[in-house]
Amino acid sequence: MKENSWLECIRGCGVKHAIDEMIYQCERCGGLLDVVHDVEALKRRPALEWKELFAQRAGLRTGIFASGVWAKKEWVCPQVPEHAIVSLNEGNTPLIPTPRLGRQIGIPELWVKQCGNSHSGSFKDLGMTVLVSVVNAMIKQGRAIKAIACASTGDTSAALAAYAAAAGIPAIILLPHAKVSPEQLIQPLANGARVLSLDTDFDGCMRVVQELTQDPAIYLANSMNSLRMEGQKTVGIEIVQQFGWQAPDWIVLPAGNLGNVSALGKGLLLMLELGLIDRLPRIACAQVQNANPFYLAYRSGFKNYHPVVAHASLASAIQIGAPVSYERAVKVMQRFAGVVEQVGEEELAELCALADRSGLYCCPQTGVALDAARSLATQGIIKPNERVVVISTANGLKFSQMKTAYHAGRSDVRALKYRNMPVEIEASVEAVMKNL
């Protein structure tokens, strides 16, 4: 592949590799690797021309450029051949104004970026199309890769299984036993992946998959692989484009393994460097109290970081105690004047239910981000006149059991302020009218 993007150690030790090398950490210092682009080459096209090109592609309905990720191909993975790209028309997700909910939580101009409106139902599709496409190109060039593997709390496994199945590449999925929703579990099973349920948590699965992928025939698909972030960074680019090339004041997102915030920062910084925006938004990361290592590190100014044992949370997709992309995420938070907030189980469940009353159908992770935004507004950190975008990372249908438990009164949540159940009555107009 041509060398107009490459892998480089995030710690600045100078180690570089081609993007199609099967290496995930710097052999010199152990740091993670990032994809780095030839920015000077990208600057040869003026900012206005980039905007016009991306606007033109946004109207397409077929072909690779109909994808919200591959519409930004030159910024994502320019050297992957078009014939090797594995796309399921990911990205181009809605940015929805939610003024009613915004008024209720003290943020008049609140928007929700619905990343769950994607093929497998989460933002993980954005990164997986890039990773699987690169692996597909490698296999077509004769590389002896037999499978792609990941550890997952649910959404990564669904995305990998779908894209690997589309490419005809075997997928190996490591899940923590009984810690993934049934709706998420069935996705990789249906797509024919080899699913292994390990008697551990996500962090234990992550340790196993890192050892497993030392075998050069098995390619690692977790977010420590920087190819994933190249697709995920298009979320921030899409938000700015949807606002007419204006950055919002805040972007708030749930934080687990920290690849998502790292990717978000990469995309926005590239836009700034190429002149498509003239300022950066602030970023707020939201964690649950039961799995809050990033929040605790933030409280010390990122001077002290210690992995934690993640306890059970309704927001199972971010129930992670040892985030792989911690170093990357710290750099982003420092550059974006970022803040980290934590949310309790009661609060996230009630905020999910309140948001649904405004027409949304929120996954619990989105509930975490929304309640963190509410808390920051209450503290005066987010100002009433600021435009705030909350990233909804997954489709709420993946967590319908959590919602059913809430409304049926089987949840551990005590207040149940927004509980709503069917009323059983006789099959007559009179009985209906009496109930109304």
Side-chain angles (χ1 to χ4, degrees):
M1 294 182 180
K2 291 167 57 180
E3 293 294 328
N4 42 9
S5 66
W6 58 90
L7 300 175
E8 191 169 315
C9 178
I10 66 171
R11 295 176 180 171
C13 69
V15 169
K16 297 182 180 181
H17 294 275
I19 65 163
D20 56 353
E21 288 189 54
M22 293 181 65
I23 185 167
Y24 316 110
Q25 290 179 279
C26 175
E27 68 271 33
R28 183 178 299 172
C29 70
L32 295 179
L33 304 174
D34 266 351
V35 174
V36 177
H37 292 267
D38 186 348
V39 175
E40 293 307 311
L42 295 175
K43 284 182 178 178
R44 294 183 193 129
R45 186 186 301 236
L48 180 59
E49 289 187 17
W50 282 120
K51 292 178 182 180
E52 291 173 346
L53 176 64
F54 294 158
Q56 176 189 359
R57 290 174 178 173
L60 298 175
R61 293 294 178 265
T62 58
I64 65 162
F65 294 134
S67 158
V69 172
W70 296 108
K72 314 298 193 290
K73 184 177 187 293
E74 296 86 352
W75 292 15
V76 171
C77 194
Q79 59 267 59
V80 68
E82 289 190 15
H83 67 83
I85 289 176
V86 183
S87 174
L88 296 170
N89 209 13
E90 54 286 320
N92 290 323
T93 53
L95 180 61
I96 299 175
T98 53
R100 182 177 172 216
L101 177 62
R103 289 191 296 271
Q104 291 172 314
I105 67 174
I107 303 173
E109 193 172 354
L110 176 68
W111 298 70
V112 176
K113 176 65 168 167
Q114 293 280 44
C115 293
N117 289 26
S118 191
H119 178 73
S120 78
S122 86
F123 78 97
K124 299 296 179 75
D125 291 354
L126 304 175
M128 209 58 74
T129 181
V130 177
L131 183 142
V132 173
S133 294
V134 171
V135 175
N136 193 37
M138 293 163 67
I139 292 172
K140 290 179 181 299
Q141 293 170 354
R143 301 280 287 276
I145 298 173
K146 295 181 179 179
I148 308 175
C150 77
S152 179
T153 54
D155 290 335
T156 299
S157 67
L160 172 58
Y163 283 83
I169 302 171
I172 302 169
I173 309 295
L174 275 57
L175 299 174
H177 179 66
K179 294 182 175 68
V180 175
S181 75
E183 299 93 339
Q184 290 172 302
L185 176 60
I186 193 59
Q187 290 184 276
L189 292 173
N191 285 134
R194 176 66 65 88
V195 178
L196 305 176
S197 179
L198 276 59
D199 186 18
T200 182
D201 58 9
F202 169 80
D203 299 309
C205 291
M206 191 68 217
R207 288 190 291 271
V208 172
V209 82
Q210 288 183 68
E211 291 188 36
L212 181 69
T213 51
Q214 295 299 310
D215 183 338
I218 305 174
Y219 193 86
L220 177 66
N222 282 97
S223 59
M224 68 181 296
N225 186 323
S226 57
L227 292 176
R228 285 266 309 279
M229 291 198 300
E230 292 309 292
Q232 289 170 204
K233 77 183 183 188
T234 60
V235 170
I237 301 169
E238 277 189 18
I239 289 171
V240 171
Q241 185 173 1
Q242 287 167 316
F243 280 137
W245 305 106
Q246 297 294 316
D249 297 297
W250 285 89
I251 298 178
V252 185
L253 71 165
N257 217 20
L258 302 180
N260 203 15
V261 64
S262 305
L264 178 67
K266 281 196 72 178
L268 292 165
L269 286 170
L270 183 58
M271 296 187 82
L272 183 69
E273 195 166 5
L274 295 179
L276 279 76
I277 54 175
D278 57 11
R279 67 177 182 88
L280 295 172
R282 294 188 70 183
I283 291 177
C285 285
Q287 291 210 294
V288 287
Q289 291 177 356
N290 286 354
N292 62 351
F294 200 49
Y295 172 78
L296 296 175
Y298 166 75
R299 298 291 293 176
S300 71
F302 297 117
K303 294 177 182 177
N304 300 312
Y305 165 67
H306 303 285
V308 302
V309 175
H311 298 289
S313 173
L314 294 172
S316 58
I318 55 173
Q319 188 180 312
I320 297 169
V324 169
S325 293
Y326 173 80
E327 282 187 70
R328 291 169 171 153
V330 169
K331 288 184 177 182
V332 167
M333 299 303 282
Q334 292 171 337
R335 183 68 177 83
F336 284 76
V339 298
V340 187
E341 184 60 285
Q342 67 173 355
V343 171
E345 298 298 303
E346 189 102 4
E347 291 79 13
L348 79 88
E350 294 291 7
L351 214 303
C352 265
L354 174 62
D356 291 351
R357 290 290 184 99
S358 293
L360 300 174
Y361 193 70
C362 287
C363 72
Q365 293 73 230
T366 304
V368 174
L370 285 167
D371 193 64
R374 179 206 57 77
S375 176
L376 294 171
T378 300
Q379 298 172 55
I381 297 172
I382 292 178
K383 304 297 189 292
N385 63 334
E386 292 183 312
R387 174 179 281 179
V388 178
V389 176
V390 167
I391 294 181
S392 178
T393 53
N395 195 307
L397 290 168
K398 291 191 175 197
F399 300 90
S400 289
Q401 286 206 346
M402 169 259 189
K403 292 178 176 293
T404 300
Y406 177 93
H407 289 288
R410 299 195 305 268
S411 171
D412 291 334
V413 175
R414 294 182 299 277
L416 300 174
K417 296 177 187 176
Y418 309 103
R419 184 184 178 194
N420 192 22
M421 287 294 289
V423 179
E424 297 182 7
I425 57 174
E426 296 176 6
S428 69
V429 172
E430 292 79 8
V432 170
M433 293 302 297
K434 182 179 180 180
N435 179 266
L436 295 179

